[in-house]
């Protein structure tokens, strides 16, 4: 709708087009926001989006990125995302015959695989490939204790601090950090997709992520730490069971506009989920193809009535949406800032970090770094390999970079090295591991805490806060 309250029919058609419908929910939201900003700028010039010229786009880029009078200038990465949104809209309009010429100038370049591809000429060259930052294992432990569990600087619960669904939040964060799952992958797990601990089990358990919730739309195996699985099991048996029972007693599930009561989950290479909806209609879909929205309406019959199969629930016993986890992390960051930063240093020197800052994706970054160090450690220290034996091991199984690539679900090794681990790629891990001293702090592999502390001192972007809360030289977020 334009500022004069007229509906733009062509823009509505783009929103209903197959191209736009196949974007993820996040991409739809981002593209819509970006396009609205451009349309508003064009409207101020007395133009509709169909009347835009290449000069209009260039002027808009200059305002967004370089104009001194613009108080909220953006960087190259943000501009490239906006440009992709504009290109999607204008290429659709041109293909459908609504435009004869797009205002987005294009050029042909060579792609990764040697193929020729068209990209916008105005793509920024200063775009950062990733906003990557890490937390060492002991820093994650401090962030969880203070931010989620409500501990003080001294490591004891703060009087009067009542955490909301603390066990759920701790279980989710530890699952993400120990598995490297993306937000949507971890947030849309169903109860039966979480690995179950076994008597005499190992340090890690294996699970499967469905294709529809991954970025690559391909299923993959993930590994999650045994203690994280234990946290999930504790959550499922305590606060989750409690909110489910409260919802049943309040009749919330009976009022849902859509519910699919699962009858059966088949086994085999391509398991299927069969359900009965509220009208008694039987349906089925391959588990791999269930989107996160479809997963939210799956229920099973429990001892007291229907129960959600969606693992993570809110206080009303309803599925906790993936985007809502951002608020949990934001609240935990604010609490860490308040508790751990001395008042005289609050909001002063941005390079002196006293409190850890975490995001959902930082858990994935940290997992990648952690696994690289651990795999090098296992090869060199635990297995006692000679250089020749290590070369043979790599030829047979692949090097740690390749292993981490598979764990993260990246399509290429280059993505893993460039976007995630480049700042530590040149560190002499073997030499550091050989001189690492044991740290008595509690951890799955306590002997590696000193290694991560040393990496943090020699690299930028790695947060490492010790037991005495003294930030390392590389502790800036």
């Amino acid at each position: 709708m334009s500022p004069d309250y007229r509906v733009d029919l062509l823009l509505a058609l783009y929103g209903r087009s197959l191209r736009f419908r196949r974007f993820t929910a996040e991409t739809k939201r981002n593209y819509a926001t970006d396009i609205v900003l451009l349309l508003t700028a064009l409207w101020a010039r007395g133009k509709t989006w169909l009347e835009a010229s290449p000069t209009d786009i260039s002027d808009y880029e200059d305002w967004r990125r370089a104009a001194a009078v613009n108080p909220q200038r953006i960087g190259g990465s943000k501009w490239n995302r906006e440009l992709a949104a504009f290109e999607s809209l204008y290429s659709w309009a041109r293909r459908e015959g609504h435009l004869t010429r797009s205002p987005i100038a294009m050029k042909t370049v060579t792609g990764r695989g040697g193929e020729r591809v068209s990209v916008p000429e105005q793509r920024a060259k200063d775009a950062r490939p990733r906003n990557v930052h890490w937390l060492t294992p002991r820093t994650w432990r401090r962030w969880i204790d203070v931010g989620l569990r409500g501990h003080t600087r001294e490591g004891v619960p703060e009087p009067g601090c009542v955490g909301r669904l603390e066990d759920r939040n701790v279980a989710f964060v530890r699952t993400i950090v120990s598995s490297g799952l993306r937000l949507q992958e971890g947030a849309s797990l169903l109860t039966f997709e979480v690995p179950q601990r076994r008597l005499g089990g190992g340090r890690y358990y294996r699970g499967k992520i469905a294709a529809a919730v991954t970025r690559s739309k391909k299923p993959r195996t993930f590994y999650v730490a045994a203690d994280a699985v234990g946290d999930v099991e504790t959550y499922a048996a305590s606060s989750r069971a409690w909110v489910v029972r409260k919802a049943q007693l309040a009749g919330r599930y009976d009022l849902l506009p859509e519910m699919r009561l699962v009858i059966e989950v088949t086994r085999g290479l391509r398991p299927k989920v069969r359900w009965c909806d509220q009208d008694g209609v039987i349906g089925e879909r391959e588990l791999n193809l269930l989107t996160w929205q479809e997963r939210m309406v799956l229920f099973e019959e429990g001892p007291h009535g229907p129960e959600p199969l969606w693992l993570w629930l809110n206080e009303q016993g309803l599925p906790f949406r993936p985007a809502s986890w951002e608020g949990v992390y934001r609240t935990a960051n604010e609490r860490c800032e308040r508790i751990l930063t001395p008042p005289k240093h609050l909001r002063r020197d941005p390079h002196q970090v006293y409190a850890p800052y975490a995001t959902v994706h930082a858990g994935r970054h940290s997992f990648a770094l952690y696994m690289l160090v651990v795999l090098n450690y296992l090869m060199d220290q635990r297995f006692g390999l000679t250089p020749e034996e290590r070369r043979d091991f790599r030829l047979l199984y692949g090097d740690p970079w390749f292993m981490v690539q598979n764990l993260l679900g990246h399509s290429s090794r280059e993505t893993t090295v460039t976007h995630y681990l480049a700042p530590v790629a040149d560190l002499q891990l073997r030499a550091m591991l050989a001189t690492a001293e044991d740290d008595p702090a509690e951890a799955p592999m306590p002997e590696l805490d000193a290694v991560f502390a040393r990496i943090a001192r020699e690299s930028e972007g790695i947060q490492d806060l010790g037991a005495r809360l003294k930030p390392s030289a590389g502790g800036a977020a």
Side-chain angles (χ1 to χ4, degrees):
M1 185 175 291
S2 61
D4 61 359
Y5 303 104
R6 295 185 181 183
V7 175
D8 189 325
L9 294 179
L10 288 184
L11 202 59
L13 285 176
Y14 170 69
R16 296 178 58 188
S17 66
L18 182 62
R19 165 180 286 195
F20 192 83
R21 292 203 312 269
R22 285 187 172 176
F23 289 147
T24 65
E26 182 181 3
T27 300
K28 289 177 183 176
R29 182 172 60 250
N30 291 337
Y31 276 25
T33 302
D34 297 339
I35 290 172
V36 163
L37 290 176
L38 175 65
L39 298 187
T40 302
L42 291 172
W43 186 268
R45 289 191 164 195
K47 290 185 176 183
T48 68
W49 62 277
L50 292 172
E51 298 168 333
S53 67
T55 300
D56 293 320
I57 303 299
S58 297
D59 290 345
Y60 182 71
E61 179 193 7
D62 182 71
W63 165 258
R64 292 290 280 157
R65 301 197 60 210
V69 292
N70 183 358
Q72 295 181 333
R73 284 171 284 179
I74 62 175
S77 298
K78 178 64 167 64
W79 169 250
N80 284 348
R81 193 194 78 182
E82 293 188 5
L83 196 58
F86 307 154
E87 195 279 327
S88 174
L89 170 64
Y90 280 110
S91 63
W92 168 84
R94 183 178 179 184
R95 189 177 64 251
E96 296 297 318
H98 305 304
L99 275 177
T100 56
R101 182 171 177 266
S102 169
I104 309 296
M106 305 295 288
K107 65 179 180 180
T108 302
V109 299
T110 303
R112 267 185 199 172
E115 72 281 8
R116 303 293 286 174
V117 294
S118 294
V119 298
E121 284 186 1
Q122 290 171 273
R123 278 184 60 84
K125 295 181 175 62
D126 61 342
R128 289 191 302 171
R130 293 280 179 182
N131 184 20
V132 180
H133 74 282
W134 301 264
L135 284 75
T136 60
R138 65 178 179 180
T139 305
W140 273 112
R141 296 195 295 274
R142 180 56 59 94
W143 186 86
I144 289 172
D145 287 343
V146 176
L148 299 180
R149 292 191 169 121
H151 289 187
T152 64
R153 287 172 58 89
E154 290 71 31
V156 297
E158 183 180 24
C161 180
V162 179
R164 297 176 58 189
L165 293 175
E166 171 193 317
D167 58 344
R168 180 202 67 181
N169 297 341
V170 170
F172 178 81
V173 172
R174 297 190 72 179
T175 297
I176 294 296
V177 173
S178 73
S179 66
L181 293 176
R182 294 184 176 92
L183 170 59
Q184 187 169 285
E185 296 168 348
S188 58
L189 286 171
L190 301 178
T191 53
F192 59 79
E193 291 179 313
V194 180
Q196 293 186 348
R197 288 188 299 174
R198 303 179 304 274
L199 289 175
R203 190 190 302 269
Y204 281 85
Y205 289 90
R206 183 177 61 185
K208 294 285 289 186
I209 287 294
V213 299
T214 66
R215 179 174 293 177
S216 63
K217 302 307 175 188
K218 296 178 181 179
R220 82 169 190 275
T221 298
F222 72 96
Y223 292 85
V224 59
D227 57 351
V229 175
D231 289 335
V232 174
E233 292 176 350
T234 300
Y235 157 64
S238 54
S239 66
R240 187 183 189 277
W242 182 58
V243 297
V244 167
R245 187 61 183 138
K246 284 204 309 180
Q248 291 170 336
L249 293 173
R252 291 194 187 100
Y253 299 146
D254 299 328
L255 300 176
L256 291 175
E258 185 178 6
M259 177 193 293
R260 294 175 175 178
L261 198 61
V262 172
I263 303 169
E264 178 188 15
V265 179
T266 65
R267 298 180 180 275
L269 293 177
R270 293 185 176 180
K272 293 183 178 180
V273 177
R274 294 196 176 99
W275 66 79
C276 179
D277 67 16
Q278 292 152 308
D279 297 324
V281 178
I282 304 297
E284 71 173 29
R285 189 164 176 80
E286 189 177 327
L287 177 62
N288 248 341
L289 303 180
L290 287 171
T291 64
W292 68 267
Q293 294 92 337
E294 292 172 320
R295 289 163 165 260
M296 291 182 69
V297 298
L298 294 179
F299 284 70
E300 65 178 345
E301 191 64 47
H304 302 289
E307 299 180 1
L309 279 172
W310 187 272
L311 177 60
W312 313 107
L313 305 180
N314 61 23
E315 291 167 303
Q316 284 71 48
L318 301 174
F320 196 65
R321 299 177 70 88
S324 299
W325 285 108
E326 302 287 358
V328 173
Y329 279 73
R330 182 169 55 252
T331 301
N333 287 328
E334 292 170 353
R335 175 174 170 76
C336 286
E337 179 76 5
R338 176 175 64 85
I339 297 296
L340 300 179
T341 301
K344 65 178 181 179
H345 294 289
L346 197 60
R347 304 186 186 284
R348 294 286 180 87
D349 184 358
H351 302 292
Q352 188 78 350
V353 178
Y354 291 88
Y357 173 85
T359 63
V360 183
H361 216 62
R364 182 170 166 83
H365 300 160
S366 302
F367 166 80
L369 174 65
Y370 178 75
M371 291 307 298
L372 177 70
V373 174
V374 168
L375 289 170
N376 274 280
Y377 174 80
L378 290 174
M379 283 186 176
D380 286 353
Q381 298 290 321
R382 294 286 179 89
F383 295 160
L385 301 180
T386 65
E388 293 76 16
E389 290 170 334
R390 183 167 186 174
R391 185 190 64 239
D392 295 339
F393 186 91
R394 283 179 166 175
L395 290 174
L396 183 60
Y397 296 105
D399 64 10
W401 295 96
F402 175 76
M403 298 178 189
V404 173
Q405 172 196 334
N406 287 334
L407 289 170
L408 293 174
H410 286 160
S411 58
S412 71
R413 185 179 186 273
E414 179 185 354
T415 301
T416 308
V417 175
T418 302
H419 296 321
Y420 283 81
L421 305 174
V424 296
D426 58 343
L427 296 177
Q428 298 297 321
L429 292 174
R430 181 172 182 175
M432 287 190 296
L433 288 167
T435 59
E437 297 179 0
D438 287 356
D439 189 311
E442 214 173 292
M445 295 185 71
E447 63 269 31
L448 293 182
D449 269 356
V451 177
F452 283 104
R454 184 171 179 180
I455 294 176
R457 288 195 300 270
E458 300 182 17
S459 305
E460 293 184 359
I462 301 178
Q463 300 177 56
D464 180 57
L465 302 181
R468 297 183 182 179
L469 298 177
K470 291 183 179 179
S472 66

